[in-house]
């Protein structure tokens, strides 16, 4: 590497945030980029560790040591080329990926990994600022036509790769704008939507056709698509939310997170209230908000509710509180289970662990409180963990708005999947392997959360890229696209 002793001489420095009192007043991104000299110093910390475990930790297999070395040597454009060789959208992952690469970094053994995510984001942001990122249209066209259902990161990555291979690609999206959950799931304060628009412009110049407000299996039949196109890729995500099966669930004010979050994104995009919330406004303003679910979606609900002016926010998690520090000898270089506090949680919320919701209590047909109980988790003789309620631990929790962020059960089955009549795996996802990504139906492929279940944006990009190669091989007999 450029500086073998860099990790001994330079301390880890991460990007800073605007203070909560400032950032809570707007919907803009609030992460502060590091100055270039600091970034180059941080890149010098990437050690010649022999086996770069970060490669395996990163689902898209980013060639991390190489572009760290190039940044250290002030070769930013070359670093951008290396970064784009494995990742179509590093400005997305550089903002919203949890960075499993850093967990796998050799320097994470003593809790000081290289700031990989920060450097990745800086490379691509500089690439856009310098005008280095341009459309890459194909030199020839194959005459083959591919339809892709779903414009999230898997669909976008698949579309871009196939267009660059010379195929005519049409990307169908049931919503009114391109981006999937990047557009209508991720809050603007985590990732501004101009980043998606910029990539859409690039992809359009590369030949991708975008068709919004078209849902395959509803407004356009699957059979009709298969008649017009040589292949169909299903990349519609895992949109079936886990519900709260308790008495009182039908009370007004108990809402799914993914009914709540898109409304604010639409408002920020300039939509009027009738367009943003056609079935009624869901607002946290002045309310006691309870978020059920401790993951990223729950955190996004907290940050959104905070900016809307919630009176109080409580987040409930059914699992016990994880340890503050993992046992490196047991888990490294794998992703560790440990206590994490998001920027949204730092802005102000109460977190409670090992809590089970028993019923919702209402007044005049609207939720007013939750009846909860504390639980304990015990390992059985077979190693399985079971939950039991703690006796005499019931307690009420005031709630004017309850947001359900308990994960997703897989893709929605009505419409496209039912009409396509394809086989599902035992978890309810589209059955397809990671070699050819083919479903049980001819000419139909599947990638991303629709195939693997709820996962990370970086996994979606990987699957979209690999699926593109599989489709290219199916259409042409061989492929030069990378996996």
């Amino acid at each position: 590497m450029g500086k073998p002793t860099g990790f001994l001489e330079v301390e880890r420095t991460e990007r800073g945030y605007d203070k909560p009192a400032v950032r809570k007043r707007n919907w803009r991104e609030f992460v502060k980029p590091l100055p270039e000299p600091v970034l180059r110093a941080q890149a010098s910390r990437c050690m010649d560790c022999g086996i770069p475990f970060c490669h395996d930790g990163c689902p898209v297999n980013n060639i991390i040591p190489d572009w760290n070395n190039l940044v250290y040597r002030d070769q930013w454009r070359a670093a951008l080329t290396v970064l784009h060789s494995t990742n179509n959208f590093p400005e997305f992952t550089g903002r919203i990926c949890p960075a499993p690469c850093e967990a796998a970094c050799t320097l994470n053994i003593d809790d000081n990994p290289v700031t990989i995510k920060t450097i990745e984001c800086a490379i691509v942001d500089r690439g856009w600022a310098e005008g280095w990122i341009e459309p890459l249209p194909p030199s020839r066209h194959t005459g083959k036509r591919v339809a892709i259902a779903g414009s999230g990161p898997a669909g976008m990555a698949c579309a871009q790769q196939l267009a660059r291979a010379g195929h005519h690609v049409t990307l169908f999206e049931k919503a009114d704008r391109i981006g999937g959950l990047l557009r209508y799931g991720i809050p603007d304060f985590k990732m501004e939507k101009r980043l998606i628009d910029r990539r859409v412009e690039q992809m359009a110049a590369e030949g991708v056709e975008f068709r919004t407000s078209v849902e395959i299996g509803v407004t356009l039949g699957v059979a009709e698509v298969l008649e017009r196109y040589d292949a169909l890729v299903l990349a519609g995500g895992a949109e079936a939310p886990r519900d709260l099966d308790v008495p009182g669930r039908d009370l007004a004010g108990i809402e799914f997170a993914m009914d709540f979050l898109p409304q604010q994104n639409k408002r920020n995009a300039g939509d009027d209230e009738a367009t943003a919330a056609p079935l009624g406004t869901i607002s946290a303003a002045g309310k006691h908000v309870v978020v059920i679910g401790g993951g990223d979606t729950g955190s996004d609900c907290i940050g959104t509710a905070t900016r809307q002016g919630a009176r109080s926010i409580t987040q409930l998690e059914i699992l016990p509180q994880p340890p503050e520090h993992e046992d490196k000898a047991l888990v490294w270089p794998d992703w560790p289970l440990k206590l994490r506090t998001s920027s949204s949680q730092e802005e102000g919320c109460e977190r409670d662990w090992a809590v089970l919701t028993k019923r919702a209590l209402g007044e005049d047909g609207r939720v007013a409180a939750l009846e909860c109980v504390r639980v304990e988790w015990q390992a059985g003789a077979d190693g399985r963990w079971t939950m039991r309620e703690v006796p005499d631990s019931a307690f009420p929790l005031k709630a004017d708005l309850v947001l359900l962020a308990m994960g997703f059960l897989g893709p929605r089955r009505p419409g496209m999947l039912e009409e396509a009549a394809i086989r599902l795996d035992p978890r309810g996802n589209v059955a397809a392997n990671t070699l050819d990504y083919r479903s049980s139906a001819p000419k139909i492929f599947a990638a991303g959360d629709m195939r693997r279940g709820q996962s990370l944006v970086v996994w979606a990009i990987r699957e979209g890229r690999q699926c593109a190669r599989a489709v290219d091989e199916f259409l042409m007999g061989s492929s030069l696209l990378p996996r």
Side-chain angles (χ1 to χ4, degrees), residues 353-428:
W353 306 86
V355 174
L356 174 68
T357 303
K358 295 291 289 184
R359 61 177 49 85
L361 308 174
E363 296 176 0
D364 300 323
R366 185 169 188 86
V367 67
L370 297 178
E371 183 180 308
C372 303
V373 65
R374 302 202 177 275
V375 297
E376 292 180 338
W377 291 85
Q378 298 175 330
D382 59 356
R384 293 178 177 271
W385 288 88
T386 58
M387 178 185 70
R388 75 173 189 90
E389 296 182 14
V390 177
D392 302 320
S393 65
F395 65 96
L397 189 61
K398 186 171 180 55
D400 303 316
L401 175 63
V402 178
L403 299 173
L404 307 181
M406 302 180 294
F408 301 86
L409 301 176
R412 293 187 301 113
R413 300 186 186 184
M416 183 170 64
L417 295 189
E418 289 184 351
E419 187 175 329
I422 55 179
R423 185 170 63 86
L424 304 180
D425 67 18
R427 297 173 58 209

Side-chain angles (χ1 to χ4, degrees), residues 36-303:
E36 182 178 331
V38 178
L39 284 165
R40 292 180 62 189
Q42 289 300 298
S44 78
R45 299 184 68 246
C46 187
M47 59 192 294
D48 190 3
C49 56
I51 299 176
F53 292 96
C54 56
H55 282 199
D56 187 59
C58 174
V60 294
N61 303 123
N62 276 330
I63 312 171
I64 295 164
D66 293 53
W67 44 257
N68 275 332
N69 183 37
L70 290 166
V71 167
Y72 168 64
R73 295 178 179 276
D74 201 23
Q75 299 177 31
W76 288 83
R77 190 160 190 170
L80 178 67
T81 300
V82 175
L83 178 56
H84 269 146
S85 71
T86 57
N87 187 349
N88 294 66
F89 314 119
E91 66 269 40
F92 301 166
T93 54
R95 286 168 167 82
I96 61 176
C97 179
C101 54
E102 293 191 17
C105 177
T106 300
L107 290 179
N108 190 41
I109 293 175
D110 66 351
D111 289 319
N112 284 294
V114 176
T115 52
I116 299 169
K117 180 177 173 180
T118 295
I119 298 169
E120 173 187 35
C121 196
I123 293 170
V124 68
D125 283 354
R126 178 162 180 177
W128 283 110
E130 298 282 356
W132 297 335
I133 301 175
E134 298 177 326
L136 299 174
S139 58
R140 63 179 181 86
H141 291 85
T142 65
K144 301 293 185 179
R145 296 169 56 85
V146 181
I148 300 177
S151 69
M156 288 182 66
C158 189
Q160 186 167 58
Q161 293 295 96
L162 286 170
R164 290 175 174 178
H167 305 303
H168 176 79
V169 180
T170 304
L171 190 56
F172 292 92
E173 171 56 55
K174 68 178 185 296
D176 60 343
R177 295 180 177 92
I178 295 296
L181 286 186
L182 293 173
R183 174 77 65 178
Y184 287 137
I186 304 297
D188 288 4
F189 57 80
K190 288 178 65 175
M191 193 186 85
E192 294 177 4
K193 304 308 177 257
R194 60 182 175 81
L195 304 175
I196 304 173
D197 297 335
R198 193 167 56 184
R199 282 295 181 182
V200 168
E201 291 177 5
Q202 179 197 34
M203 292 169 63
E206 293 171 347
V208 177
E209 177 186 356
F210 297 96
R211 292 188 61 187
T212 57
S213 301
V214 178
E215 184 173 0
I216 295 178
V218 179
T219 54
L220 179 63
V222 173
E224 185 178 355
V225 172
L226 293 176
E227 287 179 4
R228 297 181 184 178
Y229 295 88
D230 299 293
L232 168 62
V233 176
L234 308 182
E239 295 183 320
R242 180 176 283 108
D243 207 344
L244 182 67
D245 186 15
V246 298
R249 169 62 181 89
D250 57 345
L251 290 167
I254 303 178
E255 309 286 354
F256 287 117
M258 289 311 301
D259 291 331
F260 169 67
L261 294 172
Q263 290 189 3
Q264 189 59 55
N265 286 356
K266 287 176 177 286
R267 295 185 193 103
N268 293 347
D271 291 353
D272 58 31
E273 196 62 24
T275 303
L279 300 180
T281 298
I282 307 170
S283 174
K287 295 177 181 176
H288 296 283
V289 178
V290 176
V291 178
I292 302 180
D296 290 338
T297 304
S299 178
D300 293 343
C301 288
I302 292 168

